[in-house]
Amino acid sequence: MPTTTSFPDGFIWGTATAAHQVEGGNWNNDWWAWEHTPGTPCPDPSGDACDHWHRYDDDIALLADIGFNTYRFSLEWSRIEPEEGEFSLVALDHYKRMCDSCRERGVEPVVTFHHFTSPRWVAAAGGWADPDTADRFARFVERAATHLQGSMARACTINEPNWVATNGYILGMWPPGETDYEKGKRASDTFVAAHRKAVDAIRAAAPGVPVGLTMSMTDFQAVDGGEARVEEIRRPMEDVYLEGTEGDDYIGVQTYTRILVNAKGLAPYPPDARTTLMGYEFYPEALEACIRRAVEVTGLPVIVTENGIGTDNDDERIEYVERALGGVLNTIADGLDVRGYVYWSLLDNFEWAYGYKPTFGLVAVDRATQVRTEKPSARWLGTIARANALSAGR
């Protein structure tokens, strides 16, 4: 247990969703097309998802009642700009109402402008491998930020661009299903450029709103002489993006596990390792390591914008989060500027190429009836959030 169990005054306690994973009916983006293309690894289409498009107000009321003071959610670009240059006021007003619903309940709305999905017309124009997509994205961001000015509390430009570039353009697991390293590198460069343009657009349209990038970070650990390989693997996956955050207001750290690296490359987990429904190792201590590295590389304040576990055992969820929060407290005790913790996710939802099997939610969703059922972990974490102290959870 850390030397103190209390978090700083004003600490952000939140939970999160992403539009495509919970809204339902987002047929006009590249992911919907991917889910319905024969031969892709998707076991399920997203379908109606959690019907959050219609049920957001009740869901926000629920998370506020649980005890959270922050809700991180994303905009669906394909709803707001269904064709190039054609913007939907209905969709923009919808997301403004989501922000206002948060505000009415004392919850700060944290808006993510891109969470994995892009409109079909963007994909048809070359997607993120086309450098012009940075300008397309910046135009969308400027329009959306102008509409949400005065409503959103914080902004995240792009969610985990490293995984979109890697899984979409190098490993072929996500749209557009490419296995071309050079395209992956171009996508990475485009994302970095898009982030910088988006920061400028948000600051111009919504002055005073803190803005940052949310990055998937992994605790890469060298074993058996793997130190040089760690640097080789980590640089294109993380550092090229982290180095593009200079001047931002914060860095969003999103961490779930560790990866072991030996002299040959990725090493297997220990024989006795616990694994999650996503197939990776149960290793909550990764969060502390990644916070420390994010500060070392960027020098920015940190918000943990995602951390959680896909499990069907809620006691295991509580154990994971308790250990992860202990690591957060360790970093704060050492003087690092860590400003919040946002659990992934509010709801059991569509987990991309894994379908609906991995359950990350604090709240279960019956997809036949859309009935929400809180898990014990929800009230446990809500108690911690209200007390602003880890000791309150037990």
Side-chain angles (χ1 to χ4, degrees):
M1 182 68 77
T3 54
T4 177
T5 63
S6 296
F7 292 84
D9 290 344
F11 197 75
I12 294 164
W13 289 100
T15 186
T17 63
H20 191 71
Q21 293 179 266
V22 294
E23 284 182 349
N26 282 331
W27 60 270
N28 195 32
N29 67 37
D30 55 348
W31 258 97
W32 185 282
W34 183 249
E35 296 156 29
H36 292 83
T37 299
T40 68
C42 298
D44 307 303
S46 54
D48 288 332
C50 303
D51 192 30
H52 189 63
W53 179 261
H54 298 104
R55 299 170 189 263
Y56 70 86
D57 196 56
D58 289 342
D59 289 338
I60 292 167
L62 175 59
L63 73 89
D65 182 66
I66 289 169
F68 294 112
N69 60 35
T70 298
Y71 178 37
R72 176 178 172 242
F73 62 90
S74 75
L75 310 179
E76 176 54 41
W77 185 1
S78 70
R79 288 187 187 266
I80 293 172
E81 192 178 5
E83 294 292 344
E84 185 166 12
E86 181 179 322
F87 292 92
S88 168
L89 285 174
V90 169
L92 287 165
D93 283 343
H94 171 88
Y95 291 113
K96 187 175 189 304
R97 285 194 300 272
M98 287 187 69
C99 291
D100 294 342
S101 174
C102 289
R103 297 281 194 179
E104 289 164 8
R105 294 173 170 88
V107 173
E108 291 196 342
V110 177
V111 177
T112 301
F113 284 75
H114 187 276
H115 196 126
F116 292 171
T117 60
S118 300
R120 292 192 191 220
W121 63 264
V122 170
W128 290 95
D130 180 358
D132 289 342
T133 295
D135 290 322
R136 297 179 183 114
F137 180 65
R139 179 185 58 204
F140 154 70
V141 169
E142 189 278 332
R143 185 70 178 82
T146 298
H147 204 84
L148 298 181
Q149 189 274 333
S151 293
M152 63 178 171
R154 289 178 178 80
C156 311
T157 57
I158 304 168
N159 181 81
E160 300 184 351
N162 48 341
W163 279 120
V164 181
T166 300
N167 282 342
Y169 292 90
I170 298 174
L171 300 180
M173 295 173 60
W174 290 5
E178 301 272 3
T179 53
D180 185 326
Y181 181 82
E182 288 305 315
K183 278 192 176 179
K185 185 166 186 319
R186 286 207 304 275
S188 177
D189 292 343
T190 302
F191 272 124
V192 172
H195 168 66
R196 293 270 34 104
K197 291 173 184 287
V199 169
D200 291 343
I202 292 166
R203 285 177 170 167
V209 172
V211 57
L213 180 71
T214 64
M215 271 292 298
S216 174
M217 296 186 67
T218 303
D219 182 11
F220 289 94
Q221 297 184 6
V223 295
D224 302 327
E227 287 78 9
R229 291 288 281 160
V230 163
E231 296 304 316
E232 193 178 300
I233 293 169
R234 188 168 55 192
R235 176 154 191 80
M237 275 299 296
E238 295 184 5
D239 293 1
V240 294
Y241 300 94
L242 294 173
E243 290 166 3
T245 64
E246 185 176 357
D248 291 358
D249 296 301
Y250 68 91
I251 179 67
V253 171
Q254 310 195 163
T255 299
Y256 293 91
T257 192
R258 68 175 175 176
I259 288 178
L260 304 180
V261 181
N262 61 25
K264 295 181 180 179
L266 303 185
Y269 292 134
D272 59 347
R274 295 163 64 183
T275 56
T276 73
L277 292 177
M278 294 287 282
Y280 47 61
E281 186 180 9
F282 180 100
Y283 193 78
E285 288 71 24
L287 181 58
E288 178 179 348
C290 290
I291 290 171
R292 292 183 185 280
R293 187 158 198 282
V295 172
E296 178 187 348
V297 176
T298 70
L300 296 173
V302 167
I303 300 173
V304 178
T305 42
E306 281 188 27
N307 178 248
I309 180 175
T311 180
D312 52 15
N313 180 340
D314 206 50
D315 289 338
E316 188 173 57
R317 188 183 327 279
I318 291 171
E319 178 191 355
Y320 181 96
V321 175
E322 186 171 47
R323 285 166 56 179
L325 288 175
V328 174
L329 284 170
N330 288 339
T331 67
I332 292 169
D334 286 344
L336 276 65
D337 188 356
V338 184
R339 300 185 178 182
Y341 178 88
V342 177
Y343 178 83
W344 180 269
S345 63
L346 172 63
L347 305 170
D348 287 341
N349 58 36
F350 177 73
E351 282 297 334
W352 310 107
Y354 292 88
Y356 284 95
K357 182 182 176 182
T359 45
F360 281 85
L362 297 169
V363 176
V365 178
D366 183 328
R367 292 183 54 243
T369 64
Q370 296 294 349
V371 169
R372 274 68 164 147
T373 304
E374 290 177 36
K375 302 175 186 178
S377 57
R379 289 292 161 178
W380 172 83
L381 186 54
T383 299
I384 291 169
R386 288 184 189 279
N388 204 34
L390 182 55
S391 57
R394 294 291 183 182

